[in-house]
Amino acid sequence: MPALVLLGAQWGDEGKGKATDLLGGSVDYVVRYQGGNNAGHTVVVGDQKYALHLLPSGILSPGCTPVIGNGVVVDPSVLLSELSGLNERGVDTSKLLISGNAHIITPYNVTVDKVTERFLGKRKIGTTGRGIGPTYADKINRVGIRVQDLYDESILTQKVEAALDVKNQMLTKLYNRRAIAVGQVVEELLDYADKLAPYVADTVLVLNEALEQDKVVLFEGGQGTLLDIDHGTYPFVTSSNPTAGGACTGAGVGPTKISRVIGILKAYTTRVGAGPFPTELFDEDGEALRRIGGERGVTTGRDRRCGWFDAVIARYATRVNGLTDFFLTKLDVLTGWEQIPVCVAYEIDGKRVEELPYSQTDFHHAKPVYEMLPGWSEDISKAKSFSDLPKNAQAYVKALEEMSGAPISAIGVGPGRTETIEINSFL
Ligand code: IMP
């Protein structure tokens, strides 16, 4: 019953695609359990680079069944264009399964995301503008549209009517926008029904049966721990639970089934969108991390904010997710610095604080306390084992491991599929 959760330990974009891909060949099911097309995985296979937003990265591994769980929000037009893009490149996508309980991102959810951000002005969250938050809001308000609703026109019409009832008031009276016509939305959604039908399944049953048959199931989180609606830097978060517990609710699998929780941890830190970020750099080091690390959003094309590694966050991620392992990515990006600062604690209003403060006000005031670690200048991209790394790179990894509270079981030393050092097997 090997069920693994793989999730971002920071603010997302830690390089999860590479980790999933490393496991791809031995995994039977790769499941997305939350988020939507706000995520962005770049997977490099041979000389081909794939940017996936909604599909689980297991779609690129021929033996693997990719699953979109009930906790995901699905934009059908994005899903279909991602599928046809892969088909054009010769990737077989026929095994994909989509939960009938997953919620649909409707065109009006995208509109509401954009107008509310604009309305918030300088208080905006910096969302990806993909309709993620409003779709989850509809889900919680019990006016959401689910994939299964596409197969009952009368129910679909009633539900779209209910959802638009209040939204049209808001759009016309508050935001000065045009009302959205129920019929037009229903027509567009019905148009997706036949195209999605071959993929729609009872994924909860499929996954639990797979686990009973000892299949390997990998739950792949989108975004990251600090973007979690409950455990992240609220309100500068996404509207779902990327943390480990989200895998259970977002896929319908009990916590007793999860055997391993792997946190993907970048050797430095990045963040997209607004919100606190204690180790953020505004100098040429930050610029260099952005340039060397290619820190530009896969989904939005926005430059990522960059900073040094933050061990307080890593410890927090270990705690809230019950991490059993870390996969440290992008170590190669740090090659060339004489000394590398690592944030070991915060100073908040004159006091040293070792753990992430639960008070948002305190976190906004947190200043990093740095320890300087010696850097290395050798090219590490060809390293195949831990001992191939220069001594200072080894010491950097060991120091991070000690500060972060879980073993580092793999290290990414370059973007390619094979540029990974495996220390402990994940399976
Ligand atoms: P939303 O998920 O589009 O609602 O955006 C909420 C916040 O999460 C914003 O700060 C986004 O930049 C951030 N975010 C959403 N998806 C990702 C991701 O995949 N990587 C990094 N940040 C993300």
Side-chain angles (χ1 to χ4, degrees):
M1 193 181 61
L4 297 90
V5 180
L6 208 140
L7 50 84
Q10 295 149 318
W11 274 289
D13 307 314
E14 295 91 352
K16 290 179 285 273
K18 186 179 201 301
T20 329
D21 189 50
L22 175 76
L23 290 161
S26 24
V27 171
D28 300 302
Y29 292 80
V30 175
V31 189
R32 277 207 57 187
Y33 55 86
Q34 49 68 236
N37 54 309
N38 51 346
H41 291 327
T42 308
V43 187
V44 180
V45 184
D47 58 357
Q48 297 276 314
K49 200 170 176 178
Y50 299 89
L52 303 174
H53 301 288
L54 178 58
L55 288 167
S57 46
I59 197 115
L60 299 170
S61 301
C64 180
T65 302
V67 179
I68 293 181
N70 55 278
V72 176
V73 288
V74 177
D75 185 326
S77 67
V78 173
L79 178 68
L80 292 167
S81 79
E82 236 170 67
L83 287 171
S84 63
L86 288 173
N87 296 153
E88 276 160 26
R89 291 169 78 177
V91 178
D92 175 20
T93 57
S94 60
K95 287 180 127 184
L96 175 70
L97 300 178
I98 305 170
S99 166
N101 286 348
H103 279 245
I104 291 200
I105 302 178
T106 61
Y108 53 79
N109 293 132
V110 179
T111 307
V112 169
D113 195 358
K114 289 183 176 148
V115 292
T116 37
E117 277 284 275
R118 213 167 298 146
F119 203 71
L120 281 169
K122 64 177 176 6
R123 284 172 295 140
K124 71 177 180 186
I125 309 294
T127 72
T128 57
R130 304 294 196 264
I132 308 295
T135 305
Y136 279 113
D138 278 4
K139 174 176 173 173
I140 301 299
N141 282 331
R142 292 162 293 189
V143 290
I145 310 293
R146 296 191 292 178
V147 169
Q148 58 176 288
D149 297 329
L150 300 183
Y151 303 97
D152 185 330
E153 186 173 345
S154 150
I155 288 284
L156 179 67
T157 308
Q158 288 173 41
K159 289 191 172 181
V160 172
E161 262 166 12
L164 280 177
D165 209 21
V166 177
K167 276 184 200 72
N168 272 337
Q169 300 280 341
M170 189 179 84
L171 285 170
T172 53
K173 298 194 175 133
L174 190 62
Y175 295 120
N176 212 13
R177 304 277 295 223
R178 227 177 289 142
I180 295 169
V182 172
Q184 205 178 321
V185 174
V186 170
E187 200 181 311
E188 181 178 334
L189 293 179
L190 285 175
D191 194 41
Y192 299 127
D194 286 348
K195 294 174 189 148
L196 294 183
Y199 306 112
V200 181
D202 182 351
T203 54
V204 174
L205 185 64
V206 170
L207 290 172
N208 279 284
E209 281 180 350
L211 287 167
E212 267 162 38
Q213 290 158 20
D214 254 355
K215 301 273 192 234
V216 180
V217 180
L218 179 68
F219 299 92
E220 177 183 78
Q223 293 83 47
T225 300
L226 273 296
L227 286 173
D228 187 282
I229 185 87
D230 285 279
H231 301 291
T233 48
Y234 190 90
F236 303 102
V237 291
T238 194
S239 298
S240 63
N241 290 114
T243 48
C248 298
T249 45
V253 165
T256 49
K257 302 274 165 70
I258 309 287
S259 43
R260 206 110 172 234
V261 185
I262 304 156
I264 314 300
L265 191 64
K266 210 178 316 202
Y268 50 98
T269 314
T270 62
R271 168 165 209 170
V272 207
F277 177 2
T279 63
E280 183 169 17
L281 293 167
F282 299 95
D283 57 7
E284 56 213 46
D285 281 332
E287 206 33 66
L289 287 174
R290 190 171 304 117
R291 191 184 63 250
I292 303 165
E295 297 298 351
R296 186 173 274 265
V298 178
T299 299
T300 58
R302 286 183 288 183
D303 273 353
R304 295 180 185 141
R305 300 157 64 190
C306 295
W308 299 120
F309 184 82
D310 185 336
V312 182
I313 280 172
R315 277 199 290 282
Y316 179 73
T318 303
R319 191 182 318 134
V320 294
N321 294 301
L323 295 183
T324 56
D325 305 78
F326 278 116
F327 186 134
L328 186 71
T329 58
K330 292 190 148 186
L331 185 64
D332 53 304
V333 174
L334 295 178
T335 301
W337 266 275
E338 226 165 86
Q339 287 204 301
I340 308 168
V342 168
C343 169
V344 294
Y346 300 140
E347 192 197 296
I348 302 173
D349 301 329
K351 281 203 201 92
R352 184 180 165 110
V353 174
E354 305 282 337
E355 302 298 343
L356 199 87
Y358 74 86
S359 146
Q360 201 204 342
T361 309
D362 284 351
F363 193 52
H364 274 270
H365 295 173
K367 292 199 192 77
V369 175
Y370 286 119
E371 205 170 275
M372 304 302 279
L373 299 181
W376 60 92
S377 55
E378 301 89 331
D379 174 16
I380 61 168
S381 63
K382 304 285 175 298
K384 293 277 169 268
S385 69
F386 187 68
S387 58
D388 292 342
L389 291 174
K391 286 280 165 286
N392 285 351
Q394 289 186 18
Y396 184 81
V397 172
K398 282 286 154 208
L400 262 45
E401 182 173 84
E402 209 158 288
M403 292 170 193
S404 306
I408 291 176
S409 296
I411 306 169
V413 290
R417 191 177 220 179
T418 56
E419 289 167 329
T420 297
I421 297 173
E422 216 175 332
I423 300 170
N424 307 310
S425 166
F426 288 127
L427 293 169

